[in-house]
Amino acid sequence: MEPYESVDFYRLDDLLTEEQRLIRQTVRDFVDEKFMPGIEQHFMDGTFPSEVIPMLGELGLLGASLEGYGCAGLDSISYGLILQELERGDSGLRSFASVQGGLVMYPIHRFGTEAQRKKYLPKLASGEFIGCFGLTEPDHGSNPSGMITRAVDDGDSYILDGNKMWITNGSVADVAVVWAKLDGEIRGFIVEKGTPGFSATIQGGKFSLRASVTSELHFQECRIPKGNILPEVEGLKGPLSCLTQARYGIAWGALGSAMACFDCARKYAVSRIQFDKPIASFQLVQAKLAEMLTEITKGQLIALRLGQLKDEKKMTPQQVSLAKRNNVHIALQIARTARDVLGANGITHEYPVGRHMLNLESVYTYEGTHDIHTLILGHAVTGIAAYS
């Protein structure tokens, strides 16, 4: 396979620091050398390449934007570039890092006690521990406030009962950050693997995110110590703040998938001969490539500005919704168009576009569906909530 060629039509690299470019190149090399050779087979087999987890830790890619406790403490644009390169490899790889850093390490770092930070964060940062995030339930996805998982105060412990669904890493996780209602208020709890009453089952039969572990979590009179509650947050703002972090990463990550598909389609179009000339010489193919390039460039500008706002502490959840909604949408459209450019070859594992296309169907839905982010933006511009 020819070396990957990134997209930088508006010379946005000129706006990056030397350190940011070096970080991106380091992750790009890791994806090319350690991840890409086996990803198609893992996708076909429905397995996650767990051998890369320690490598992610060694490179400082887990919880990379957090400070202390073994975390790299990188700026937001560097963090975004990391996730862009990981998702260029596969959405499942970026999902692993997103969940570990944005949905597990972040709430412990922000809402946990010092004892919790010291106990869990260094092991999560190194990859020694794998984490998962339990919010979505079988009957409550876009409406997490309706969750029925409950926690009951029982003296020196809490007892959890309920189920969580569509949980990345759930059945391989050493620690789960679980959201449940305690006295009617949503609270976060840290549940360790092996706790009596806590079990996880794999959700199979997926045509998307096949190189990612997806599970259902079960809590039946699961007794956890009082010290495992996240004390610094109550209500839905806790899990939603975590989702904001993850959605920020997805806005960057989706661009990685889009650029991988564009790179493949462009190279294929230049080399594929029909009617005695490359198909890239036909107007309809050029129009498709031009549209892909335009949408990627717009998405890059959105992601870069969002990263600047995040570091300036001016970023809003609504701005993140716009970025996640736009960039995943254009990435999915680009993947579909790239598949079309490749013709029948686009449905084979010889090329990555079909795999990205299937993965992006999930990314389009999780961490807030496209429609939910549409309503968030509608609320932002009208002041009227239309969620129900």
Side-chain angles (χ1 to χ4, degrees):
M1 183 180 295
E2 295 182 55
Y4 167 70
E5 295 179 31
S6 186
V7 180
D8 190 18
F9 199 66
Y10 265 33
R11 297 183 61 88
L12 296 182
D13 270 18
D14 293 352
L15 304 179
L16 303 179
T17 66
E18 182 178 352
E19 181 182 12
Q20 288 167 342
R21 291 192 294 268
L22 178 60
I23 289 168
R24 182 186 60 192
Q25 189 61 50
T26 299
V27 183
R28 184 170 295 174
D29 291 342
F30 159 74
V31 170
D32 286 341
E33 297 167 11
K34 304 297 184 181
F35 184 77
M36 292 304 294
I39 181 54
E40 296 295 344
Q41 191 62 51
H42 277 289
F43 189 88
M44 287 188 282
D45 293 344
T47 56
F48 179 78
S50 57
E51 65 274 9
V52 305
I53 297 174
M55 303 178 202
L56 295 171
E58 290 170 11
L59 291 172
L61 307 184
L62 302 176
S65 63
L66 301 177
E67 296 280 351
Y69 309 98
C71 303
L74 300 179
D75 65 272
S76 296
I77 291 174
S78 294
Y79 179 62
L81 291 168
I82 287 170
L83 298 186
Q84 175 184 287
E85 291 303 315
L86 293 181
E87 188 143 359
R88 178 179 67 85
D90 191 80
S91 297
L93 181 61
R94 194 269 309 145
S95 289
F96 180 92
S98 285
V99 168
Q100 188 90 339
L103 297 182
V104 180
M105 297 174 69
Y106 171 80
I108 295 174
H109 191 279
R110 180 173 177 184
F111 304 127
T113 65
E114 184 63 15
Q116 290 169 347
R117 296 186 193 106
K118 289 180 177 178
K119 180 178 181 180
Y120 297 110
L121 291 179
K123 292 183 177 180
L124 288 164
S126 69
E128 180 182 348
F129 274 9
I130 298 171
C132 70
F133 176 84
L135 177 63
T136 299
E137 297 185 354
D139 295 318
H140 297 91
S142 295
N143 178 29
S145 63
M147 71 173 65
I148 60 175
T149 299
R150 295 289 187 270
V152 176
D153 190 331
D154 190 46
D156 60 353
S157 60
Y158 295 107
I159 300 176
L160 270 62
D161 284 283
N163 297 281
K164 302 292 182 179
M165 198 169 188
W166 305 116
I167 309 302
T168 298
N169 300 338
S171 54
V172 296
D174 300 284
V175 57
V177 172
V178 180
W179 301 91
K181 286 184 177 177
L182 174 65
D183 297 326
E185 193 72 63
I186 295 174
R187 302 296 301 271
F189 302 87
I190 301 173
V191 185
E192 295 186 11
K193 182 179 182 179
T195 302
F198 172 37
S199 61
T201 53
I202 293 177
Q203 291 179 249
K206 301 180 297 178
F207 64 73
S208 178
L209 288 178
R210 289 184 52 76
S212 178
V213 176
T214 308
S215 312
E216 186 169 357
L217 308 182
H218 312 281
F219 304 94
Q220 296 181 322
E221 297 186 4
C222 176
R223 185 180 297 272
I224 63 171
K226 272 287 181 66
N228 282 34
I229 194 171
L230 297 175
E232 300 299 324
V233 68
E234 296 184 14
L236 199 57
K237 66 180 180 180
L240 290 184
S241 68
C242 301
L243 291 174
T244 295
Q245 305 304 310
R247 290 164 177 169
Y248 169 82
I250 290 171
W252 283 88
L255 292 175
S257 284
M259 287 191 280
C261 292
F262 173 79
D263 180 56
C264 182
R266 186 190 65 80
K267 289 173 179 172
Y268 184 88
V270 170
S271 62
R272 173 69 169 173
I273 306 299
Q274 290 290 285
F275 305 102
D276 301 320
K277 56 185 176 180
I279 64 172
S281 65
F282 293 103
Q283 292 179 353
L284 288 176
V285 174
Q286 289 195 5
K288 291 169 184 175
L289 294 171
E291 187 67 19
M292 287 190 265
L293 174 65
T294 301
E295 294 304 324
I296 288 171
T297 301
K298 288 156 63 177
Q300 288 174 318
L301 290 165
I302 290 172
L304 182 64
R305 180 55 182 151
L306 189 66
Q308 293 171 339
L309 290 169
K310 193 173 191 300
D311 279 337
E312 294 168 4
K313 301 190 185 305
K314 296 177 181 177
M315 184 184 81
T316 68
Q318 293 79 12
Q319 290 167 340
V320 176
S321 283
L322 186 149
K324 193 272 184 183
R325 177 182 182 274
N326 180 82
N327 288 6
V328 176
H329 174 74
I330 64 102
L332 180 55
Q333 295 305 313
I334 286 168
R336 290 170 175 167
T337 302
R339 206 291 310 156
D340 178 56
V341 171
L342 268 65
N345 284 318
I347 69 167
T348 71
H349 284 283
E350 182 179 354
Y351 300 92
V353 294
R355 174 169 52 82
H356 283 295
M357 181 178 67
L358 292 172
N359 284 338
L360 286 164
E361 291 288 354
S362 289
V363 183
Y364 191 80
T365 297
Y366 72 25
E367 307 285 2
T369 68
H370 185 82
D371 287 351
I372 287 295
H373 287 296
T374 300
L375 296 181
I376 290 171
L377 294 177
H379 188 186
V381 298
T382 66
I384 303 170
Y387 307 106
S388 60

